């Protein structure tokens, strides 16, 4: 692959200087003159009827400017199914249900006012287990529905699983489950809603989807009686996203309602406890899975049935099965596939997107089951994976067209670096395991568009402004875009300024999701940069006296590729363009929408232009007395197409990896009867600097033909195969398979005891 | 009931009327507008609010304002030199890619600073131990540890 001066370099993150000096402004730091503070009163019960709300005392409190409830706001519902009102009336369905809200001159007064609101409830029996919620006679949560099972058609059939079962030489079947986990963004959620005198709304927000949020707010305003007004979304620096900000939430509508009522800007900012309770996490799942293969170990079928706890309302969590279909149909070559998923209403919180979007849950089941299959076959699971690994040029059963694919390299790199042959099955108490992943790496057409716009202009001095629709949520999109533009235009990366946080200024984009930003926004920036370069060379050709095709730019100097003496500084050309009669302004726009496909009605189609692959290998030690798992070595190999910025890419792998290890070993939202028992960092076990194992990222470059400079997405993959790789290593170490995340010491001790009771007979592959 | 306190903040004397129930974090952010110090939890579990008081890294969200009387407080805003040059730790965080969303960053840097001010050559284990009270959701800590270590190594 070619080497470039800017692309492929370890360029420091553009916004790092303001972040290390404390000058970056987060929503936490934003104050607007006259701003009020909104606070929300949540339900006392997971399922209850609201009999009465008395807000009169709260309204009397000095400093309180407005109190609203579900009974005095216009009827409006938001979310994927439009089943969620910002303030509830009639019934509450979860502990996070918003019952009333206050705007006051200080957060303390608003808090005090909440305590003065009297709500009378009649408690109703709750349903907290999706399996129970599916049973006949279970109370129906949403009035007017016949069942707690969501009307969503998650069903994928490829080939003929029944016949494949008959033809299989070896079959395994088992059930796996995963827990609720949450994003834990260090910066909590919040927004400021502000109306101007003409009722145009400005939302200062943390959103990952500024343009879709804009539409959501406009829909809401229409219902609130504010028609045809402008909504502007401005993002502050965002203190972490990970999918949590992929939907709009009740608090945002509450801020809008309070701002409307008080005619003042209103800020709602979550406390840490609220962040745990009232943002929407990755849901729990129960998966029955079966795999079968030929005598040689070629996979013949994969069958999965899944139940997902949707929680009380419907957000993007309910659509994660569409993404789960990707590993289910296309992780390794498997010709016959059947997958059915049900999302079920319960009185728990409600689920949304979180890094990986369903892929971690599905891959945990798939990759654990594959190890079981290998054992039953008497095969090395590494060999089984290699035999079935995806390859370039393949069309998968779900009609994914695989372009670049470095899966085999990833598997081999991991085996080599973890010393698979030397360690697998050898040491008592120590073991190695691996697991692979597929993820969308070239955008994902989940909406009608997967597009992103870019506008570029250059000033009189050769400094470049890039206006992109793509949001920066800490992942580094701003820097990647600057690098791509600098590379194309032949300017220093420091001279490229990226503007990315204002819907009034920036062009459209569908949002930061599906690991799409480097690929889609990158290609968009690439297109715009090429366009403006053409214009520059066109103009320069006259003053230099050389045809545009023989001109290029390097380090801000336009020169003839035939005779480098013939040159002129970029800034000069631009000044000439501006100051000449019949002058010209240099500006280019480009909209890139990848040639990927929406699924058809059978959920088939080429969802992404390219796919990202990876394999993680892990060596663990299991302490038989305490049940503690220590990770001795962690190899994370990722096919990224090309690393535009290896340093930031490693950051995604390290960060994703550790989040994945937390998912595997410690993180768990502990709900008891719908009540979150651990809404704080002490009891919710996010990993710390002391828990970091030796991680070795391995970057495999396959130079994707459609990626900007060959790059594919990497935002989510880092945590996808982590849990099964660890579970597989634990099995290798002590012969127990934990099928229920997280893999806590208690579960390990219990399984070790059971194993002892059963004697030494192998457990795998019933 | 307001009380008057006097202390040193980022090398300058501050005299102020404060409410006894305020925390140092509240005073810094809400009264002085020094928003570089972050609040990630408000109850001593995330380290985002870390500042240095008399050489020790503390969680300012738990630190009663009255207790700073006569002490010396350093915040993230106070570690840049007067001519605007960044502290070695700040430079190293930038160069090593130790910053993603950045919300944990000021607290991380202040914890690290207290460590390297106290100890010439802390070990990697000491570094990890020191920042174990500073949560970061983005980076997986590796590059943060590298960034701190590189400042130590260059000493
Ligand atoms: S804000 Fe002080 S420790 Fe979290
Ligand atoms: S960089 Fe985001 S929490 Fe540390």
């Amino acid at each position: 692959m070619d080497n470039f001066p800017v692309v492929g370099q370890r360029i420091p993150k553009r916004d790092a200087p303001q972040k290390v000096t404390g000058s970056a402004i987060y929503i936490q730091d934003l104050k607007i003159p006259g701003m009020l503070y909104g606070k929300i009163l949540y339900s006392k019960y997971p399922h209850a009827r609201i009999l009465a709300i008395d807000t009169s005392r709260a309204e009397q409190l000095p400093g309180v400017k407005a109190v609203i409830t579900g009974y005095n706001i216009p009827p409006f519902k938001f979310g994927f199914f439009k089943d969620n009102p910002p303030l509830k009336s009639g019934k509450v369905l979860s502990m996070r249900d918003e019952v009333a809200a206050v705007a006051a001159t200080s957060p303390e007064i608003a808090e005090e006012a909440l305590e003065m609101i009297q709500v009378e409830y009649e408690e109703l029996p709750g349903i907290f287990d999706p399996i129970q919620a599916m049973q006949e006679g279970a109370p129906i949560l949403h009035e007017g529905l016949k069942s707690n099972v969501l009307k969503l058609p998650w069903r994928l059939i490829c080939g003929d699983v029944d016949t494949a079962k008959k033809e299989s030489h070896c079959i395994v079947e088992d059930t796996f489950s995963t827990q609720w986990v949450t994003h834990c963004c260090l910066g909590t959620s919040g927004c400021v809603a502000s109306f101007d005198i003409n009722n145009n709304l400005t939302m200062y927000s943390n959103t990952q989807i500024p343009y879709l949020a804009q539409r959501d707010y406009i829909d809401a305003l229409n219902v609130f009686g504010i028609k045809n007004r402008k909504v502007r979304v401005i993002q502050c620096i965002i203190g972490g996203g990970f999918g949590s900000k992929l939907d709009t939430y009740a608090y945002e509508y509450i801020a809008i309602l309070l701002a409307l009522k008080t005619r003042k800007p209103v800020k709602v900012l979550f406390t840490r406890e609220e962040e745990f309770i009232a943002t929407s996490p990755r849901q729990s799942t129960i998966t029955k899975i079966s795999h079968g293969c030929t005598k040689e170990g070629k996979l013949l079928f994969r069958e999965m049935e899944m139940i997902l706890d949707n929680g009380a309302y419907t957000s993007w969590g309910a659509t994660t099965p569409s993404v789960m279909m990707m590993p289910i149909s296309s992780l390794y070559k498997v010709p016959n596939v059947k997958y059915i998923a049900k999302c079920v209403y319960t009185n728990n919180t409600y689920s949304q997107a979180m890094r990986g979007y369903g892929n971690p849950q599905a891959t945990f089941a798939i990759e654990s089951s594959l190890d079981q299959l290998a054992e039953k076959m008497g095969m090395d699971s590494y060999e089984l994976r290699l035999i079935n690994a995806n390859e370039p040029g393949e069309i998968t059963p779900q009609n994914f067209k695989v372009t670049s694919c470095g899966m085999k390299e990833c598997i081999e790199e991991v085996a080599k670096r973890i010393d698979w042959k030397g360690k697998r099955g050898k040491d008592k108490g120590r073991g190695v395991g691996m697991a692979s992943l597929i993820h969308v790496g070239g955008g994902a057409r989940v909406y009608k568009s997967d597009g992103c716009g870019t506008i570029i202009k250059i000033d009189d001095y050769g400094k470049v402004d890039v206006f992109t629709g793509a949001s920066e949520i800490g992942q580094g999109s701003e820097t990647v875009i600057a690098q791509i533009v600098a590379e194309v235009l032949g300017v220093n990366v420091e001279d490229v300024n990226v503007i990315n946080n204002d819907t009034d200024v920036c062009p459209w984009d569908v949002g930061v999701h599906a690991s799409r930003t480097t690929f889609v926004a990158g290609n968009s920036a690439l297109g715009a940069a090429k366009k403006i370069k053409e214009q520059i060379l066109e103009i320069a050709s006259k003053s230099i006296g050389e045809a545009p095709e023989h001109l290029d730019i390097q380090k801000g100097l336009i020169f003839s590729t035939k005779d480098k003496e013939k040159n002129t500084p970029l800034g000069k050309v631009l000044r000439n363009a501006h100051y000449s009669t019949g002058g010209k302004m240099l500006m280019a726009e480009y909209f890139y929408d990848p040639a990927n496909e929406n699924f058809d009605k059978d959920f088939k189609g080429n969802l992404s232009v390219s796919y990202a692959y990876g394999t993680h290998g892990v060596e663990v030690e299991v302490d038989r007395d305490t049940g503690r798992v220590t990770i001795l070595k962690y190899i994370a190999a990722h096919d990224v197409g090309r690393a535009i910025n290896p340093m930031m890419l490693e950051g995604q792998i390290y960060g994703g990896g550790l989040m994945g290890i937390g998912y595997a070993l410690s993180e768990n939202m502990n709900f008891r009867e719908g009540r979150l028992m651990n809404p704080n960092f002490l009891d919710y076990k996010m990993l710390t600097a002391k828990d970091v194992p030796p991680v070795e990222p391995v970057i495999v470059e396959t130079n994707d033909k459609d990626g900007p400079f060959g790059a594919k997405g990497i935002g989510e993959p880092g945590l996808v195969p982590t849990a099964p790789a660890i579970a597989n290593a634990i099995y290798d170490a002590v012969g127990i398979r934990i099928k229920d995340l997280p893999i806590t010491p208690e579960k390990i001790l219990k399984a070790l005891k059971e194993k002892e009771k059963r004697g030494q007979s192998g457990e795998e592959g019933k | 009931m307001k009380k008057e306190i006097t202390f040193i903040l980022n090398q300058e004397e501050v005299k102020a009327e404060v409410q006894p129930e305020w925390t140092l974090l509240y005073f810094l952010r809400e009264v002085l507008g020094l928003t570089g110090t972050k609040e990630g939890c408000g109850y001593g579990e995330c380290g985002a609010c870390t500042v240095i008081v008399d050489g020790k890294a503390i969680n300012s969200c738990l630190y009663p304002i009255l207790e700073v009387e006569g002490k010396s407080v350093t915040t993230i805003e106070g570690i840049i030199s007067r001519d605007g040059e960044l502290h070695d730790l700040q430079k190293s965080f930038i160069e090593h890619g130790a910053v993603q969303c950045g919300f944990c960053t000021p607290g991380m840097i202040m914890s690290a600073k207290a460590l390297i001010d106290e100890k010439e050559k802390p070990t990697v284990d000491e570094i990890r131990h020191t920042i174990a009270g500073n949560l970061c959701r983005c980076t997986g800590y590796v590059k943060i540890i590298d960034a701190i270590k590189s400042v130590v190594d260059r000493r």
Side-chain angles (χ1 to χ4, degrees), chain A residues 13 19-20 22 26 28-29 31 182-183 272 474 647 650-651 654-655 667 680-682 686-687 689 692, chain B residues 29-30 35-36 38 40 43 45 76 86 90 95 99-103 128 135 137-139 141-143:
Chain A
K13 205 164 171 310
K19 288 174 173 174
V20 300
Y26 297 80
Q28 279 73 8
D29 309 322
K31 274 188 187 159
T182 185
H183 313 82
R272 177 55 55 188
M647 182 166 79
E650 288 157 8
Y654 288 131
E667 292 184 31
N680 57 67
F681 284 137
L682 210 57
M686 205 177 120
L687 299 182
V692 181
Chain B
R29 287 183 56 85
E30 303 301 325
T35 53
K38 301 298 175 202
Y43 44 71
E45 289 171 5
I76 191 74
L86 299 189
Q90 292 174 310
E95 285 158 16
V99 180
Q100 289 188 26
C101 84
F103 203 83
R128 284 159 171 263
L135 295 178
R137 190 53 151 176
C138 303
T139 64
Y141 305 102
V142 177
K143 288 184 181 288

Side-chain angles (χ1 to χ4, degrees), chain A residues 648-680:
Chain A
M648 294 196 318
L649 183 105
E650 288 157 8
Q652 288 301 306
I653 297 177
Y654 288 131
L658 200 70
M659 201 185 252
I661 294 170
Y663 186 50
L665 297 178
S666 65
E667 292 184 31
N668 181 20
M669 297 180 85
N670 178 13
F671 284 104
R672 205 170 294 160
E673 307 252 286
R675 193 180 300 263
L676 185 61
M677 305 307 286
N678 56 344
N680 57 67

Side-chain angles (χ1 to χ4, degrees), chain A residues 347-358:
Chain A
N347 294 112
N348 293 318
T349 183
Y350 70 85
S351 65
Q352 218 264 103
M354 181 169 166
R355 203 178 200 171
Y357 211 91

Side-chain angles (χ1 to χ4, degrees), chain A residues 255-267:
Chain A
I256 292 172
L257 286 161
L258 289 171
L260 256 182
K261 187 145 187 198
T262 58
R263 306 302 312 172
K264 289 270 166 62
V266 174
K267 178 178 198 168

Side-chain angles (χ1 to χ4, degrees), chain B residues 25 38-50 59-62:
Chain B
L25 178 65
K38 301 298 175 202
E39 175 171 337
C41 67
Y43 44 71
E45 289 171 5
C46 76
C49 64
T50 306
N59 288 327
S60 63
C61 69
L62 296 180

Side-chain angles (χ1 to χ4, degrees), chain A residues 284-559:
Chain A
S284 63
T285 60
I286 305 163
T287 307
K288 210 169 114 190
I289 180 168
S290 168
H291 269 123
C293 66
T294 66
K295 253 206 317 268
E296 295 74 34
K298 283 233 174 246
L299 289 176
L300 278 181
F301 78 91
R302 178 178 293 152
E303 184 175 23
M304 288 169 77
E305 248 176 70
M306 195 182 283
I307 295 166
L308 299 92
D309 188 346
N310 188 61
Y313 300 95
T314 305
S315 176
W316 295 118
T319 68
T320 53
S322 65
V323 171
M324 296 184 183
M325 288 174 181
M326 169 177 54
I328 291 169
S329 70
S330 306
L331 179 59
Y332 305 105
K333 290 181 194 157
V334 49
N336 303 291
V337 175
K338 184 171 173 189
Y339 171 58
I340 295 170
K342 290 191 172 111
C343 303
V344 188
Y345 281 123
T346 64
N347 294 112
N348 293 318
T349 183
Y350 70 85
S351 65
Q352 218 264 103
M354 181 169 166
R355 203 178 200 171
Y357 211 91
N359 199 343
Q361 297 99 305
T363 300
F364 176 58
I366 294 168
E367 282 287 15
S368 297
S369 168
L370 278 184
D371 254 37
Q372 294 179 317
L373 184 68
E375 174 162 38
K376 195 167 176 188
M377 286 285 291
M379 260 179 104
D380 184 341
S381 67
Y382 157 75
E383 299 289 345
L384 183 89
R385 288 190 170 87
L386 266 191
I387 290 176
N388 293 289
N390 299 102
E391 286 175 305
E394 181 192 337
I395 296 181
T396 79
Q398 209 183 347
N399 285 349
F400 294 174
K401 299 189 179 80
V402 179
T403 53
S404 60
C405 171
M407 191 185 205
K408 278 193 178 159
E409 288 97 306
C410 289
I411 295 174
E412 279 162 355
E413 282 290 337
V414 161
K416 188 173 82 197
R417 289 169 197 250
I418 205 93
D419 188 16
W420 186 266
K421 297 274 175 214
K423 288 189 168 150
R424 177 82 172 171
K426 301 279 168 20
D427 233 354
K428 286 283 160 239
R430 281 190 177 196
V432 292
M434 68 163 75
S436 296
L437 80 100
I438 178 176
H439 203 71
V440 286
R445 190 162 293 268
V446 289
Y447 305 103
K448 280 274 169 271
S449 170
D450 191 17
C452 174
T454 306
I455 299 168
I456 298 187
K457 70 180 182 68
I458 310 184
D459 75 8
D460 270 2
Y461 311 96
K463 306 264 191 245
V464 183
D465 287 314
V466 182
F467 301 80
T468 175
S471 304
E472 167 70 46
I473 58 169
Q475 85 281 42
S477 65
E478 185 177 50
T479 310
V480 164
I481 288 167
Q483 283 182 263
I484 289 172
V485 170
E487 187 66 55
V488 175
L489 290 184
V491 298
N492 294 326
V493 71
E494 297 77 30
D495 290 338
V496 181
N497 174 37
V498 178
I499 299 115
N500 55 5
N501 68 338
D502 185 345
T503 56
D504 261 14
V505 176
C506 299
W508 190 82
D509 174 61
V510 293
V512 181
H513 67 104
S515 306
R516 68 186 280 280
T517 300
T518 293
F519 190 94
V520 178
N523 266 326
S524 177
L526 183 68
K530 282 183 176 164
K531 254 172 105 173
I532 202 163
K533 186 175 180 181
E534 263 174 39
Q535 295 178 34
I536 295 167
L537 298 186
E538 183 76 46
I539 297 172
S541 110
K542 283 178 210 124
S543 57
I544 299 182
E546 186 71 83
E549 58 271 28
H550 299 306
L551 291 177
D552 203 354
I553 318 175
Q554 258 174 27
K555 299 205 168 114
L557 198 71
I558 308 176
F559 61 94

